[in-house]
Amino acid sequence: MKQPLAYVHPEAKIADNVVIEPFVTIDKNVVIEEGTRIGSNATILEGTRIGKNCTVFPGAVIGAIPQDLKFRGEKTTVEIGNNTTIRECVTINRGTAAKGKTIVGDNCLLMAYVHIAHDSIVGNNCIIGNATQIAGEVVIDDYAILSGLVAVHQFVHIGSHVMVSGGSLVRKDIPPFVKAGREPVSYIGVNSIGLRRREFGNEKIREIQDVYRYLYQKGMNNFTALEAIEAEMPASPERDEIILFVKNSKRGIMRGYFPE
């Protein structure tokens, strides 16, 4: 399935039914699994691991060394899960000594011109919009959606089932199940439409809304709000996920809603 005008290093491990189009470059120490297609002019560099049934569009560069002056040539990887689509001119850098790997999970869509920097972790079923730029050591949890032209600061954590508005500058952590937008990026409600699409019932969505009323609408600081949530709301996986996210936030969570 390899075109004669493509270059594949003899040490690369390519499954038999991988499609490699003309003018592709695949370096040594690369693994590409069954059913994946590599579009013309894509460059797959040392340390890249691509799972099954992925599609890499023309012009993408996966596995380039980090844009980090602390990088000293250490052996690191980029790991792409199964069924993930990487559109035109996406760039994904491999890890550094900090974590050793950059990860993109299963069933993700990275739209054109997305950049994912060293040691970042993108979960499963995520959608990253056109020209969104993700700095180093960012964590994005499952089912998050970032619209186009979003810029994410280094070390930020974005929770599961989050929706981030296009053009947002994300400098603080965004807790799970919410919509985020405005400048500075702020809480603008629970992502109820996204949650319903993923079969969260109305009762569960109301519970999540109640948790965020404590955090963002009752005039409490985070410490007091968390105490009140734990004391007054019954435990559930969603309640506890929010509590743990806020407690473990290193950059602090985004600010609350404010009127225009």
Side-chain angles (χ1 to χ4, degrees):
M1 304 297 285
K2 187 190 82 169
Q3 293 289 330
L5 295 176
Y7 170 76
V8 179
H9 195 283
E11 295 177 15
K13 297 179 180 178
I14 313 295
D16 289 340
N17 66 346
V18 170
V19 174
I20 300 172
E21 295 185 351
F23 310 113
V24 167
T25 298
I26 298 178
D27 206 347
K28 64 181 179 181
N29 188 23
V30 167
V31 178
I32 303 177
E33 298 187 31
E34 294 86 353
T36 288
R37 185 182 192 96
I38 311 296
S40 61
N41 294 293
T43 303
I44 315 297
L45 294 170
E46 182 177 358
T48 299
R49 311 284 184 262
I50 301 177
K52 299 176 181 177
N53 303 314
C54 294
T55 303
V56 178
F57 276 70
V61 179
I62 304 175
I65 64 171
Q67 298 175 116
D68 185 338
L69 295 177
K70 299 187 297 299
F71 181 70
R72 293 292 180 266
E74 53 265 32
K75 296 295 184 183
T76 57
T77 59
V78 167
E79 300 179 9
I80 312 293
N82 301 322
N83 307 306
T84 283
T85 298
I86 298 171
R87 292 300 304 247
E88 297 86 349
C89 301
V90 168
T91 56
I92 308 175
N93 294 164
R94 61 186 173 96
T96 69
K99 289 188 173 70
K101 61 181 71 174
T102 304
I103 298 174
V104 177
D106 299 337
N107 307 306
C108 292
L109 169 59
L110 309 184
M111 297 186 192
Y113 295 95
V114 164
H115 174 69
I116 299 178
H118 63 88
D119 303 294
S120 287
I121 300 173
V122 177
N124 300 321
N125 303 290
C126 292
I127 299 174
I128 313 295
N130 291 289
T132 285
Q133 307 293 288
I134 298 170
E137 300 189 57
V138 167
V139 176
I140 300 174
D141 292 336
D142 296 349
Y143 291 100
I145 299 176
L146 280 63
S147 300
L149 296 168
V150 172
V152 184
H153 194 284
Q154 193 172 23
F155 303 114
V156 157
H157 185 186
I158 296 174
S160 61
H161 301 279
V162 159
M163 176 74 184
V164 181
S165 175
S168 295
L169 306 177
V170 182
R171 306 177 184 93
K172 295 286 188 179
D173 294 346
I174 300 179
F177 312 117
V178 304
K179 296 179 292 186
R182 304 178 182 245
E183 173 56 30
V185 71
S186 305
Y187 172 79
I188 53 174
V190 168
N191 184 18
S192 55
I193 293 175
L195 293 174
R196 288 191 183 98
R197 287 173 177 167
R198 295 169 204 132
E199 301 184 346
F200 284 70
N202 289 336
E203 184 176 343
K204 182 59 66 177
I205 292 170
R206 283 194 294 269
E207 175 195 318
I208 293 168
Q209 288 170 331
D210 287 341
V211 173
Y212 282 110
R213 287 189 180 99
Y214 283 94
L215 280 165
Y216 285 128
Q217 294 175 282
K218 290 181 178 285
M220 302 177 182
N221 62 39
N222 289 343
F223 179 80
T224 304
L226 292 177
E227 283 192 329
I229 293 165
E230 291 182 302
E232 299 174 21
M233 294 190 64
S236 73
E238 292 77 18
R239 186 208 76 157
D240 294 346
E241 183 176 346
I242 296 167
I243 289 171
L244 286 173
F245 187 101
V246 177
K247 285 183 175 180
N248 293 331
S249 174
K250 293 182 172 63
R251 293 189 58 81
I253 64 170
M254 66 180 178
R255 65 185 295 173
Y257 169 81
F258 63 99
E260 295 198 25

